[in-house]
mmCIF file of all heavy atoms in Angstrom:
data_model
loop_
_atom_site.group_PDB
_atom_site.id
_atom_site.type_symbol
_atom_site.label_atom_id
_atom_site.label_comp_id
_atom_site.label_asym_id
_atom_site.label_seq_id
_atom_site.Cartn_x
_atom_site.Cartn_y
_atom_site.Cartn_z
ATOM 1 N N ASP A 27 137.714 80.985 112.165
ATOM 2 C CA ASP A 27 136.373 80.457 111.898
ATOM 3 C C ASP A 27 135.300 81.399 112.421
ATOM 4 O O ASP A 27 134.310 81.677 111.739
ATOM 5 C CB ASP A 27 136.199 79.079 112.547
ATOM 6 C CG ASP A 27 136.987 77.990 111.819
ATOM 7 O OD1 ASP A 27 137.391 78.225 110.669
ATOM 8 O OD2 ASP A 27 137.158 76.901 112.423
ATOM 9 N N VAL A 28 135.469 81.918 113.624
ATOM 10 C CA VAL A 28 134.501 82.839 114.209
ATOM 11 C C VAL A 28 134.429 84.117 113.380
ATOM 12 O O VAL A 28 133.347 84.631 113.100
ATOM 13 C CB VAL A 28 134.851 83.141 115.684
ATOM 14 C CG1 VAL A 28 134.027 84.295 116.219
ATOM 15 C CG2 VAL A 28 134.665 81.898 116.527
ATOM 16 N N SER A 29 135.589 84.611 112.958
ATOM 17 C CA SER A 29 135.606 85.811 112.129
ATOM 18 C C SER A 29 134.886 85.578 110.823
ATOM 19 O O SER A 29 134.096 86.408 110.356
ATOM 20 C CB SER A 29 137.044 86.258 111.842
ATOM 21 O OG SER A 29 137.688 86.577 113.035
ATOM 22 N N PHE A 30 135.125 84.418 110.203
ATOM 23 C CA PHE A 30 134.475 84.095 108.940
ATOM 24 C C PHE A 30 132.968 83.993 109.122
ATOM 25 O O PHE A 30 132.187 84.523 108.334
ATOM 26 C CB PHE A 30 135.038 82.779 108.385
ATOM 27 C CG PHE A 30 134.337 82.316 107.145
ATOM 28 C CD1 PHE A 30 134.567 82.941 105.926
ATOM 29 C CD2 PHE A 30 133.425 81.272 107.199
ATOM 30 C CE1 PHE A 30 133.906 82.530 104.792
ATOM 31 C CE2 PHE A 30 132.771 80.851 106.073
ATOM 32 C CZ PHE A 30 133.008 81.482 104.851
ATOM 33 N N LEU A 31 132.547 83.317 110.196
ATOM 34 C CA LEU A 31 131.118 83.161 110.446
ATOM 35 C C LEU A 31 130.450 84.501 110.748
ATOM 36 O O LEU A 31 129.328 84.747 110.329
ATOM 37 C CB LEU A 31 130.880 82.180 111.593
ATOM 38 C CG LEU A 31 131.183 80.713 111.271
ATOM 39 C CD1 LEU A 31 131.036 79.869 112.536
ATOM 40 C CD2 LEU A 31 130.263 80.209 110.182
ATOM 41 N N ALA A 32 131.140 85.360 111.449
ATOM 42 C CA ALA A 32 130.592 86.679 111.750
ATOM 43 C C ALA A 32 130.364 87.465 110.467
ATOM 44 O O ALA A 32 129.365 88.169 110.327
ATOM 45 C CB ALA A 32 131.526 87.448 112.683
ATOM 46 N N CYS A 33 131.246 87.336 109.522
ATOM 47 C CA CYS A 33 131.091 88.026 108.243
ATOM 48 C C CYS A 33 130.024 87.365 107.389
ATOM 49 O O CYS A 33 129.397 88.000 106.552
ATOM 50 C CB CYS A 33 132.419 88.048 107.478
ATOM 51 S SG CYS A 33 133.653 89.075 108.274
ATOM 52 N N ALA A 34 129.830 86.069 107.559
ATOM 53 C CA ALA A 34 128.893 85.335 106.718
ATOM 54 C C ALA A 34 127.451 85.473 107.184
ATOM 55 O O ALA A 34 126.542 85.119 106.456
ATOM 56 C CB ALA A 34 129.285 83.861 106.688
ATOM 57 N N VAL A 35 127.216 85.990 108.390
ATOM 58 C CA VAL A 35 125.859 86.140 108.896
ATOM 59 C C VAL A 35 125.132 87.144 108.014
ATOM 60 O O VAL A 35 125.609 88.244 107.780
ATOM 61 C CB VAL A 35 125.869 86.607 110.369
ATOM 62 C CG1 VAL A 35 124.463 86.948 110.829
ATOM 63 C CG2 VAL A 35 126.490 85.553 111.255
ATOM 64 N N GLU A 36 123.993 86.730 107.522
ATOM 65 C CA GLU A 36 123.227 87.592 106.629
ATOM 66 C C GLU A 36 122.533 88.668 107.449
ATOM 67 O O GLU A 36 121.837 88.391 108.417
ATOM 68 C CB GLU A 36 122.191 86.755 105.887
ATOM 69 C CG GLU A 36 121.436 87.539 104.864
ATOM 70 C CD GLU A 36 120.460 86.665 104.097
ATOM 71 O OE1 GLU A 36 120.696 85.458 103.989
ATOM 72 O OE2 GLU A 36 119.464 87.214 103.635
ATOM 73 N N LYS A 37 122.729 89.910 107.044
ATOM 74 C CA LYS A 37 122.057 91.011 107.715
ATOM 75 C C LYS A 37 120.648 91.132 107.157
ATOM 76 O O LYS A 37 120.424 90.976 105.969
ATOM 77 C CB LYS A 37 122.819 92.316 107.496
ATOM 78 C CG LYS A 37 124.153 92.342 108.174
ATOM 79 C CD LYS A 37 124.810 93.687 108.011
ATOM 80 C CE LYS A 37 126.159 93.694 108.698
ATOM 81 N NZ LYS A 37 126.840 94.971 108.561
ATOM 82 N N LYS A 38 119.702 91.417 108.031
ATOM 83 C CA LYS A 38 118.327 91.596 107.598
ATOM 84 C C LYS A 38 118.206 92.961 106.927
ATOM 85 O O LYS A 38 118.772 93.944 107.405
ATOM 86 C CB LYS A 38 117.382 91.518 108.790
ATOM 87 C CG LYS A 38 117.309 90.147 109.405
ATOM 88 C CD LYS A 38 116.332 90.123 110.546
ATOM 89 C CE LYS A 38 116.283 88.746 111.177
ATOM 90 N NZ LYS A 38 115.341 88.682 112.289
ATOM 91 N N PRO A 39 117.445 93.028 105.841
ATOM 92 C CA PRO A 39 117.249 94.326 105.204
ATOM 93 C C PRO A 39 116.426 95.224 106.123
ATOM 94 O O PRO A 39 115.649 94.726 106.947
ATOM 95 C CB PRO A 39 116.486 93.989 103.922
ATOM 96 C CG PRO A 39 115.854 92.673 104.183
ATOM 97 C CD PRO A 39 116.747 91.964 105.165
ATOM 98 N N PRO A 40 116.581 96.538 105.992
ATOM 99 C CA PRO A 40 115.799 97.427 106.845
ATOM 100 C C PRO A 40 114.307 97.267 106.546
ATOM 101 O O PRO A 40 113.918 96.967 105.427
ATOM 102 C CB PRO A 40 116.287 98.829 106.458
ATOM 103 C CG PRO A 40 116.919 98.662 105.120
ATOM 104 C CD PRO A 40 117.414 97.258 105.049
ATOM 105 N N VAL A 41 113.510 97.449 107.568
ATOM 106 C CA VAL A 41 112.069 97.349 107.412
ATOM 107 C C VAL A 41 111.586 98.572 106.647
ATOM 108 O O VAL A 41 111.878 99.711 107.023
ATOM 109 C CB VAL A 41 111.375 97.275 108.793
ATOM 110 C CG1 VAL A 41 109.867 97.289 108.645
ATOM 111 C CG2 VAL A 41 111.841 96.045 109.540
ATOM 112 N N VAL A 42 110.905 98.331 105.551
ATOM 113 C CA VAL A 42 110.360 99.425 104.758
ATOM 114 C C VAL A 42 108.953 99.702 105.257
ATOM 115 O O VAL A 42 108.102 98.815 105.260
ATOM 116 C CB VAL A 42 110.334 99.060 103.256
ATOM 117 C CG1 VAL A 42 109.690 100.159 102.448
ATOM 118 C CG2 VAL A 42 111.732 98.762 102.770
ATOM 119 N N GLU A 43 108.726 100.934 105.693
ATOM 120 C CA GLU A 43 107.409 101.295 106.181
ATOM 121 C C GLU A 43 106.451 101.414 105.008
ATOM 122 O O GLU A 43 106.832 101.839 103.930
ATOM 123 C CB GLU A 43 107.472 102.636 106.917
ATOM 124 C CG GLU A 43 108.235 102.587 108.214
ATOM 125 C CD GLU A 43 108.214 103.919 108.920
ATOM 126 O OE1 GLU A 43 107.113 104.407 109.220
ATOM 127 O OE2 GLU A 43 109.283 104.471 109.143
ATOM 128 N N SER A 44 105.215 101.065 105.249
ATOM 129 C CA SER A 44 104.211 101.210 104.202
ATOM 130 C C SER A 44 103.921 102.693 103.989
ATOM 131 O O SER A 44 104.160 103.527 104.862
ATOM 132 C CB SER A 44 102.928 100.476 104.605
ATOM 133 O OG SER A 44 102.266 101.189 105.642
#
Side-chain angles (χ1 to χ4, degrees):
D27 288 343
V28 169
S29 298
F30 175 75
L31 289 174
C33 292
V35 172
E36 185 177 334
K37 292 184 180 180
K38 292 182 181 180
V41 175
V42 176
E43 292 182 58
S44 72

